[in-house]
Amino acid sequence: DAEITQSPRHKITETGRQVTLACHQTWNHNNMFWYRQDLGHGLRLIHYSYGVQDTNKGEVSDGYSVSRSNTEDLPLTLESAASSQTSVYFCASSTGQHPYEQYFGPGTRLTVT
Amino acid sequence: AQTVTQSQPEMSVQEAETVTLSCTYDTSESDYYLFWYKQPPSRQMILVIRQEAYKQQNATENRFSVNFQKAAKSFSLKISDSQLGDAAMYFCASTSGTYKYIFGTGTRLKVLA
């Protein structure tokens, strides 16, 4: 069955370190998204991609970067982790066609100490 | 800017009773989609129901239905015959620019036995 996976599921890192969160989907979807979930804020869009070599900034992109070298993967990199980036991170994908439903990965809980 | 507002941080319902979760949105787009997602303690985001803005008929999925009031920009979720397994965080979302989502801050639903 097609799926979307994220790794690691949990990570603890120190302030200032570079961290990369992986997202892999086997749906063959063109569109991929990264969100962060924080209490009182719901899910907020960090970066998104509509295809290979395409990346765009979302609502809360400062301190994050992504690259899209193939259809299946959209890794999220925290260049220099900060305590404010402690959060749960979700990756999602969609076909880009009606009804524009997004399929979500299981999430990664990141703690920056 | 597009917004999605969930004004009820927490709701409670007795098992087998009916509960309605509120959501209002603001968009300048003429064609858009609305969604309700459920997030149980496992953190997995699960699509509950979707509504196409161009459809006047309210969407229904088994015990879940929506009350879509386009002029009022309101999109509430009704859960009938509530079950213990319905206890979760519920997020309302609207498409933004076709592919992206804007999420509300969520409503935590407690189901009382």
Side-chain angles (χ1 to χ4, degrees):
Chain A
D1 288 342
E3 60 178 357
I4 180 167
T5 57
Q6 293 183 234
S7 61
R9 295 294 310 278
H10 302 271
K11 185 167 182 67
I12 301 173
T13 191
E14 294 178 345
T15 301
R17 290 192 179 267
Q18 184 181 78
V19 177
T20 296
L21 308 183
C23 175
H24 179 79
Q25 53 99 2
T26 58
W27 295 96
N28 200 35
H29 286 166
N30 286 327
N31 302 337
M32 296 185 73
F33 309 85
W34 273 105
Y35 297 90
R36 60 177 289 173
Q37 181 180 7
D38 304 289
L39 195 63
H41 290 280
L43 280 77
R44 293 180 291 175
L45 184 63
I46 305 171
H47 281 286
Y48 58 100
S49 168
Y50 290 157
V52 176
Q53 303 301 329
D54 175 75
T55 60
N56 305 278
K57 293 181 179 181
E59 178 188 0
V60 289
S61 61
D62 287 349
Y64 303 94
S65 64
V66 294
S67 61
R68 187 92 179 269
S69 59
N70 58 54
T71 300
E72 295 80 16
D73 299 289
L74 186 69
L76 177 71
T77 297
L78 286 68
E79 303 293 344
S80 177
S83 57
S84 60
Q85 294 177 308
T86 292
S87 187
V88 178
Y89 291 86
F90 285 95
C91 180
S93 69
S94 73
T95 64
Q97 297 176 5
H98 170 87
Y100 306 111
E101 177 182 342
Q102 291 186 15
Y103 297 81
F104 284 81
T108 294
R109 179 176 295 279
L110 176 68
T111 302
V112 183
T113 62
Chain B
Q2 289 183 256
T3 58
V4 175
T5 302
Q6 294 179 249
S7 58
Q8 306 155 315
E10 190 171 295
M11 294 279 287
S12 296
V13 63
Q14 207 68 34
E15 197 175 5
E17 296 296 309
T18 296
V19 64
T20 298
L21 309 184
S22 300
C23 174
T24 59
Y25 62 93
D26 189 15
T27 180
S28 57
E29 297 175 3
S30 57
D31 189 19
Y32 54 91
Y33 295 75
L34 299 163
F35 305 86
W36 278 99
Y37 278 85
K38 171 185 177 181
Q39 186 182 46
S42 67
R43 279 206 316 247
Q44 182 67 51
M45 295 287 285
I46 302 166
L47 179 67
V48 174
I49 199 165
R50 74 171 70 86
Q51 175 78 43
E52 292 89 338
Y54 62 85
K55 288 188 177 179
Q56 292 186 335
Q57 186 172 6
N58 289 325
T60 299
E61 289 286 344
N62 301 314
R63 297 182 296 107
F64 298 87
S65 62
V66 300
N67 182 5
F68 175 48
Q69 302 290 326
K70 191 171 184 178
K73 295 184 177 178
S74 171
F75 180 61
S76 59
L77 174 70
K78 186 172 82 170
I79 306 174
S80 303
D81 186 25
S82 297
Q83 301 175 358
L84 294 177
D86 295 333
M89 197 77 171
Y90 286 82
F91 291 99
C92 178
S94 169
T95 52
S96 170
T98 303
Y99 304 138
K100 295 183 291 181
Y101 283 6
I102 299 293
F103 282 91
T105 52
T107 296
R108 182 171 301 282
L109 179 65
K110 295 184 177 181
V111 181
L112 308 173

